[in-house]
């Protein structure tokens, strides 16, 4: 196996460095990765197995499959200059994956990997904990030390190609044999627990990275397909005395279940409840997200395509903001998050990153009310001709972004104590974790209260006719079924990750102008709605006329239609 010298060489003579035979290195490393690099997978399989015989069959059969796949992959890369960097990367990937799977119940699929690639310093810092370096050391330490102590033996390339191909073949034979021997148990396990296929390290990451590369490379050179080229402003704009101003709040990681207005046992939304009782705010209780992570959901919310039409894929089309801008309105995106995921690329946008507001922006990030700071000046700086027609403002919240939920509310606004302050969520007692999360929801309630007050003041001062739509991008798991955070592939995602809160408020002026009255809005409150509806509902509410506007996906269309039937012009210039 090892060609190491047995005796100490005489002084002055250099012996060749000890080396690994490539096949030995491949199979030893594969065995290590299959066992130590896949602990979360084996723990899960062990949980799912029924009888001891089944457990043996599943762990043995599945284990051999993982070993075979890994060895086949590594065999193809068993070249002296290639093996060490590639093996190092795969070992590290397995170690990092192991940490996030154990800590958060995460699985690795293409969208999860895309999130990782697009993350920022703030998010990385939130995910850091002492357990990460420890897991990486335990899983990656020994194999990295061995790999870097001895290089692979050099051979001429032709015989090595043959050996590598043979090694890959042996790996494939092992996979086929193991599958055939334990087919019944293995097949039913994989059918019933599709998440397991995203848990095989490091093959999951290799697969996800290849998918991402294939999906994204050709599209980057393609221009976006235009949407709503015929977009123009409707009759309500002619002779208007006050322009409309709609604020669209894109929520972050808020789940419907913990929203007071949806009947949660805790009153996490006291301010919104007051707006609901006194000011005509409407809560929508049956809203579902397009994706289970920001990167999928945010572009999908603004996409002209529904989720099933491909709104959850990398956008090939322009979005809602492009259409609003084309119609002649002023659009502004304000971001208190890790960016707008391309949605605001062609409209004016601003970030809170540079703000230094005492009490709101500490430790390099801001609480959501920072987005309201200097907002009048930001609006005043928009194109005056467009602004005089109307404004659509998007506020992209930090919301309940985890795992550092305790950072999402200010010290004086924490109604639920004690709260979890650790990033290692499974270390906290479950009730403290829920407290920290509920505090973040209560803080969103506070932020929406401030936003609504801001809008009401602009209405009363005569500057605008105002309205607000709040919709969260996806939900969150708080330890249910061992899952934390979000990002589970949509088909497998639990309700907590897809059922999201949504509210809407229209000032009397905007109600009159759009024909969407409070009573009719309330009648829509319990209808099933999804991110698919945002694009069309905003076009309808803002009276933007275009072929791209689909009435059947405009949740406010029944109101405008009823208003028209009542004998009044549906869109009249507001006085
Ligand atoms: Zn998100």
């Amino acid at each position: 196996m090892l060609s190491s010298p047995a005796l100490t060489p005489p002084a002055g003579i250099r012996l060749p460095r000890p080396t690994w035979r490539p096949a030995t290195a491949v199979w030893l490393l594969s065995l290590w990765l299959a066992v130590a690099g896949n602990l979360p997978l084996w723990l899960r399989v062990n949980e799912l197995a029924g009888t001891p015989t089944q457990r043996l069959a599943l762990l043995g059969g599945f284990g051999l499959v993982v070993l075979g796949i890994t060895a086949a992959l590594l065999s193809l890369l068993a070249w002296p200059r290639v093996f060490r960097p590639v093996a190092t990367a795969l070992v590290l990937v397995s170690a990092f994956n192991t940490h996030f799977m154990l800590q958060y119940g995460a699985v690795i699929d293409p969208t999860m990997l895309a999130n990782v690639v697009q993350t920022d310093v703030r998010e990385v810092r939130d995910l850091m904990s002492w357990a990460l370096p420890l897991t990486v050391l335990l899983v990656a330490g020994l194999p990295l030390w061995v790999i870097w102590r001895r290089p692979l033996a050099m051979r001429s390339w032709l015989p090595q190609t043959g050996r590598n191909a043979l090694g890959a073949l042996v790996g494939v034979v092992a996979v086929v044999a193991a599958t055939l021997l334990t087919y019944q148990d293995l097949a039913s396990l994989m059918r019933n627990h599709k998440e397991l296929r995203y848990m095989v390290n490091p093959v999951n990451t290799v697969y996800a990275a290849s998918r991402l590369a294939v999906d994204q490379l050709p599209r980057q050179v393609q221009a976006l397909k235009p949407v709503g080229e015929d977009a123009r402003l409707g009759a309500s704009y002619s002779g208007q005395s006050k322009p409309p101003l709609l604020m669209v709040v894109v929520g972050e990681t808020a789940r419907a279940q913990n929203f007071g207005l949806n009947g949660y046992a805790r009153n996490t939304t006291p301010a919104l409840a007051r707006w609901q009782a006194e000011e005509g705010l409407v809560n929508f209780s049956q809203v579902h997200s397009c994706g289970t992570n920001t990167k999928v959901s945010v572009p999908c919310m603004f996409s002209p395509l529904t989720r099933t039409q491909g709104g959850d894929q990398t956008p090939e089309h322009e979005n809602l903001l492009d259409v609003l801008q084309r119609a002649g309105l002023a659009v502004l995106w304000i971001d208190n998050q890790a960016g707008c995921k391309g949605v605001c690329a062609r409209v004016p946008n601003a970030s809170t990153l540079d703000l230094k507001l005492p009490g709101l922006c500490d430790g390099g990030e801001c609480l959501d009310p920072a987005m309201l700071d200097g907002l009048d000046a930001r609006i005043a700086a928009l194109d005056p001709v467009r602004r005089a027609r109307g404004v659509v403002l998007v506020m992209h919240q930090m919301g309940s972004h985890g795992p550092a939920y305790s950072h999402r509310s200010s010290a004086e606004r924490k109604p639920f104590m004690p709260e979890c302050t650790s990033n290692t969520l499974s270390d906290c007692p479950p009730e403290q974790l829920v407290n920290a999360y509920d505090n973040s929801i209560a803080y969103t309630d506070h932020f929406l209260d401030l936003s609504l007050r801001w809008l009401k003041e602009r209405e009363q001062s005569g500057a605008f006719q105002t309205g607000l739509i709040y919709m969260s991008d996806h939900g969150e798991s708080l330890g249910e079924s061992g899952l934390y955070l979000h990002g589970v592939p949509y088909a497998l995602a639990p309700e907590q990750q897809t059922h999201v809160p949504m509210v809407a408020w229209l000032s009397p002026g905007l109600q009159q102008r759009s024909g969407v009255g409070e009573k009719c809005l309330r009648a829509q409150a319990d209808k099933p709605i999804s991110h698919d509806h945002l694009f069309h509902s905003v076009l309808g509410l803002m009276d933007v006329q275009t072929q791209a506007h689909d009435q059947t996906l405009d949740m406010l269309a029944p109101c405008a239609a009823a208003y028209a039937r009542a004998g009044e012009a549906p869109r009249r210039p507001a006085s």
Side-chain angles (χ1 to χ4, degrees), residues 252-253 293-294 473-474 486:
E252 175 59 57
T253 316
N293 63 61
T294 311
D473 66 342
H474 52 75
H486 52 264

Side-chain angles (χ1 to χ4, degrees), residues 204-462:
N204 51 7
T205 312
V206 173
Y207 167 76
S210 327
R211 274 283 305 273
L212 273 190
V214 171
D215 281 1
Q216 300 204 332
L217 283 180
R219 287 186 192 176
Q220 276 177 354
V221 290
Q222 271 178 21
L224 287 180
K225 296 187 184 119
V227 176
E229 287 183 291
D230 58 340
R232 57 182 179 77
L233 298 177
S236 61
Y237 289 87
S238 53
Q240 67 177 3
S241 60
K242 287 188 238 172
L245 187 155
L246 178 68
M247 185 187 280
V248 177
V249 179
V250 178
E252 175 59 57
T253 316
R255 68 185 205 184
Q257 188 180 317
N258 291 46
F259 214 62
L261 290 187
N262 286 330
Y264 185 46
R266 283 176 155 177
N267 190 6
T268 49
T269 55
L272 290 177
R274 198 172 57 245
W275 280 88
Q276 187 182 40
E278 297 167 12
E279 302 277 355
L281 177 125
V282 176
N283 177 58
F284 294 82
S285 62
Q286 301 300 325
V287 185
H288 282 82
S289 67
C290 175
T292 61
N293 63 61
T294 311
K295 185 190 166 276
V296 169
S297 279
V298 170
C300 190
M301 288 167 87
F302 291 85
S303 168
L305 305 183
T306 63
R307 189 177 77 79
T308 49
Q309 287 170 340
D312 58 345
Q313 306 294 313
T314 308
E316 290 178 352
H317 293 82
E318 290 180 346
N319 62 48
L320 174 62
L321 304 185
D322 298 305
V323 181
L324 294 168
Q325 185 164 261
R326 179 167 295 133
L329 296 173
V331 179
L332 174 61
W333 179 291
I334 301 180
D335 207 278
N336 191 34
Q337 252 281 336
C340 69
K341 312 294 174 196
V343 176
C344 65
R346 296 163 298 279
V347 301
N349 56 81
S351 159
T352 56
L353 269 181
D354 313 322
L355 292 181
K356 306 252 181 307
L357 304 171
L360 281 179
C361 303
D362 297 315
E365 61 188 23
C366 295
L367 291 163
D368 287 324
M371 289 191 281
L372 294 166
D373 187 79
L375 189 51
D376 288 301
R378 290 191 196 276
I379 292 172
L382 296 171
D383 180 306
V385 177
R386 291 176 174 277
R387 194 182 60 231
R389 296 187 190 117
V391 181
V392 175
L393 261 180
V394 184
M395 312 287 255
H396 189 198
Q397 273 192 278
M398 185 56 107
S400 302
H401 192 282
Y405 306 121
S406 62
H407 295 184
R408 307 294 167 244
S409 51
S410 62
E412 68 278 12
R413 289 193 168 269
K414 292 188 183 290
F416 309 107
M417 292 299 274
E419 65 169 2
C420 166
T421 53
S422 165
N423 293 340
T424 311
L425 299 181
S426 44
D427 278 2
C428 282
E431 62 278 8
Q432 291 192 17
L433 179 63
V434 173
N435 282 349
Y437 183 79
D438 285 347
N439 284 335
S440 75
I441 298 286
Y443 199 76
T444 286
D445 175 70
H446 169 61
F447 167 63
L448 291 174
D449 183 34
L450 294 176
S451 303
L452 288 161
R453 285 166 193 264
W454 185 92
L455 289 166
K456 196 177 168 186
E457 280 167 23
R458 301 306 171 280
E459 169 95 11
Q460 285 170 345
S461 73

